[in-house]
């Protein structure tokens, strides 16, 4: 089921505000998928999903190794019972302190906890171009 990523509807947006562990899928340089658990925040008005992480992680290296300048193709997904939602798009690694601070604030709001301080923290910023998933409460 395709969803408008900039206007996903109230149920879809509510699902992305609930506390759920997510996965991020990146592609290794050899083209094989790398899937790892992450926390994700979603801002449909900006068309962006955000993941905070350490700059030394494999997911960061995979994104930085992607060919071209458009960013790496990635997907983030969450599931709860029969409800699931996936956001796809192009990811870039951001190091600007104000963007990281904003992403940390958004993470703290969604996950109701502040992440531990991390001087190596970076932001994976995903420009979302596709949203999928049945999140209707009736499907639970």
């Amino acid at each position: 089921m395709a969803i408008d990523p900039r206007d996903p509807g109230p149920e879809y947006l509510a699902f992305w505000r609930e506390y759920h562990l997510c996965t991020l899928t990146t592609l290794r340089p050899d083209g094989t998928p790398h899937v790892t658990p992450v926390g994700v925040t979603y801002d449909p008005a900006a068309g962006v999903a955000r993941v905070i992480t350490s700059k030394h992680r494999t997911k960061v290296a995979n994104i930085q190794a992607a060919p071209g300048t458009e960013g790496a193709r990635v997907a983030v997904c969450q599931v709860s019972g029969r409800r699931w939602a996936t956001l796809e798009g192009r990811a870039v690694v951001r190091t600007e302190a104000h963007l990281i601070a904003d992403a940390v604030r958004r993470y703290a709001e969604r996950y109701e906890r502040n992440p531990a301080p991390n001087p190596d923290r970076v932001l994976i910023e995903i420009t979302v171009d596709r949203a999928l998933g049945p999140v209707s409460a009736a499907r639970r």
Side-chain angles (χ1 to χ4, degrees):
M1 164 187 245
I3 310 284
D4 180 349
R6 298 283 245 169
D7 186 19
E11 282 187 279
Y12 196 83
L13 189 53
F15 187 54
W16 277 102
R17 289 185 176 141
E18 294 173 11
Y19 187 110
H20 295 289
L21 187 60
C22 303
T23 59
L24 169 67
T25 302
T26 60
L27 296 177
R28 295 180 183 97
D30 69 2
T32 60
H34 174 261
V35 182
T36 188
V38 295
V40 177
T41 62
Y42 175 36
D43 179 358
V48 172
R50 296 172 178 89
V51 174
I52 54 174
T53 189
S54 180
K55 67 182 178 183
H56 304 290
R57 300 289 183 213
T58 300
K59 56 187 160 272
V60 171
N62 290 343
I63 291 167
Q64 291 174 325
T69 59
E70 299 171 354
R73 195 85 191 143
V74 302
V76 289
C77 184
Q78 65 182 21
V79 63
S80 178
R82 298 176 82 187
R83 298 182 305 155
W84 62 270
T86 298
L87 302 172
E88 298 178 12
R90 297 268 177 196
V92 295
V93 177
R94 306 293 298 257
T95 59
E96 298 94 325
H98 71 284
L99 296 177
I100 294 169
D102 179 60
V104 167
R105 179 189 60 77
R106 291 169 186 274
Y107 176 96
E109 285 177 10
R110 180 175 187 195
Y111 292 99
E112 300 176 350
R113 71 174 192 85
N114 287 312
N118 179 355
D120 292 331
R121 181 170 287 135
V122 295
L123 165 61
I124 296 173
E125 185 179 76
I126 305 162
T127 301
V128 178
D129 58 26
R130 183 178 296 160
L132 305 162
V135 299
S136 173
R139 293 181 167 264
R140 286 186 185 173

